[in-house]
Amino acid sequence: MPRQEVHFPTYDGLQLAGTLYNAGEKRPCIIMSNGFSGLRSQFLPNFAERFQAAGYTVLLYDNRTWGESEGMPRNEVDPVLQTRDYYDAFNYAIALPSVDPKEVVYWGSSMSGGNALVATAVNKCVKGVICQVPFVSTEPMIPVSAALCEILLQDRANIIQGKEPLMGPVIPASREDVLSGVTQAILKDVNAVEFVEELDRQNILWERMVSLQSLLHGVTQEPGAVIKRVAPRPLLMIVADQDVTCPVQFQLSVFNEALPPKKLHIIRGASHFDPYYGQAFEENIEAQLEYLRGLFE
C-alpha cells in the first residue's frame, strides 16, 4: 500500500523525518513515535502496516536528535521537547488530504508512551491515545540521576564550553552483565539484549549510545501527574506483566487514576520489549485494532 518518506517542521525550526502510510482520502490518522533511543524503523512499521490495512492513515516519525530527524546534540532524549513535537506532528498531519482532522489518535511506546499521554492531556483536538508499556513515572530513574548528579551537571557545564557531551551505552553488552550487576547500560534489562538480537536478525539499525544528559531530562516529565486530563478522550494502555524497565506497578497505578473512558490490556508473560514482535505483537496489535474500531466505527 502507498507510503511516502516525509519531513515536517517543529516550532523551534527542526525538520523531523517520517513515513506517511496513506490509507485514502480523509481517513482517521494515527501519529506514532518510538521510545527511549528508539528509531521509527524498529518494528513500528509492522504496526503502521496493520493500521493502514485496516483503513487508517499513519504518520510515523523519528524523534528529534534520533534517526533521520534533525536536532543536536545527537542521540539525546528530552521528553518535554519530544512531547511538544507531537503538537507539530498533529498540525502537519491534519493538513494532509489523507487525514480527517477530527479523527486523530496519538500513539506512543515506552518513553513516547508517556509523552503521548502528556500530549493528549494538553491537545484537546485529538480523538484518543494508545500507549504501550508506557513510561509514566520518574521514580525508577531518580536514584540513577541523583547518584550521577554532580557528573551530569559538570557535563552540562562542559557542553556549554564547547566540549563533547558524555555518552553512555543504551543496551547491556550481554545477559551476564545484567545478571552480575556490572553493566553500565541505561536500560538494565536482560530482555533488552534479546530485543537487539532480534533487531540484528532482521537487519534493523539500532543506536548503541545515548547522551547522559538524557538522565537529567528524563526526570522532568511525570506523565502520571496529568493522567486525569486525558479524559474524556478514550485511553488504551497496553501493559506487559513482566515489565521491569517501566515497572508494572507504576503503570497500573497510573491507569487506575485515569478517568473513563479507558481500557487496559495486559499481555501475560511478556517483558517490556516483547510487544513489538512475535506472538506478543500479534496479541498487542489485535487489542489496538479493537480499540480503534470502537473509536471510529
Side-chain angles (χ1 to χ4, degrees), residues 110-260:
S110 192
M111 177 64 77
S112 73
N115 296 344
L117 287 173
V118 178
T120 304
V122 174
N123 181 359
K124 307 301 183 181
C125 298
V126 295
K127 183 92 173 202
V129 59
I130 298 172
C131 59
Q132 63 178 38
V133 294
F135 170 85
V136 294
S137 174
T138 61
E139 289 298 323
M141 294 183 67
I142 288 174
V144 176
S145 61
L148 296 176
C149 186
E150 184 175 352
I151 293 172
L152 295 175
L153 290 174
Q154 184 59 56
D155 178 44
R156 188 176 179 89
N158 292 342
I159 293 168
I160 291 173
Q161 295 171 10
K163 297 180 181 179
E164 290 296 315
L166 294 176
M167 308 294 286
V170 180
I171 305 296
S174 68
R175 297 169 181 80
E176 291 71 27
D177 282 0
V178 180
L179 297 174
S180 65
V182 302
T183 182
Q184 298 298 309
I186 304 298
L187 302 179
K188 303 180 190 302
D189 186 339
V190 66
N191 295 289
V193 179
E194 298 174 4
F195 179 78
V196 297
E197 288 175 348
E198 182 63 26
L199 289 174
D200 288 340
R201 278 192 288 271
Q202 297 192 31
N203 295 314
I204 300 173
L205 178 69
W206 58 279
E207 294 285 355
R208 287 164 169 76
M209 305 297 284
V210 61
S211 81
L212 292 191
Q213 286 300 303
S214 302
L215 295 173
L216 274 185
H217 299 323
V219 296
T220 62
Q221 182 95 305
E222 190 69 27
V226 299
I227 191 64
K228 292 181 179 178
R229 301 178 196 168
V230 170
R233 279 72 53 80
L235 159 68
L236 172 63
M237 184 179 292
I238 305 291
V239 174
D241 72 346
Q242 303 299 310
D243 196 337
V244 297
T245 294
C246 293
V248 176
Q249 64 268 29
F250 291 106
Q251 296 180 56
L252 296 180
S253 176
V254 167
F255 179 82
N256 288 336
E257 292 181 15
L259 300 176

Side-chain angles (χ1 to χ4, degrees), residues 234-297:
L235 159 68
L236 172 63
M237 184 179 292
I238 305 291
V239 174
D241 72 346
Q242 303 299 310
D243 196 337
V244 297
T245 294
C246 293
V248 176
Q249 64 268 29
F250 291 106
Q251 296 180 56
L252 296 180
S253 176
V254 167
F255 179 82
N256 288 336
E257 292 181 15
L259 300 176
K262 60 181 180 178
K263 185 173 183 180
L264 174 70
H265 184 87
I266 299 176
I267 305 177
R268 304 292 178 183
S271 78
H272 184 79
F273 298 92
D274 289 330
Y276 297 89
Y277 62 96
Q279 185 55 46
F281 164 76
E282 292 299 332
E283 178 180 339
N284 185 12
I285 192 66
E286 287 302 324
Q288 295 188 25
L289 289 169
E290 179 183 357
Y291 162 85
L292 292 170
R293 286 191 292 268
L295 192 62
F296 293 121
E297 296 178 3

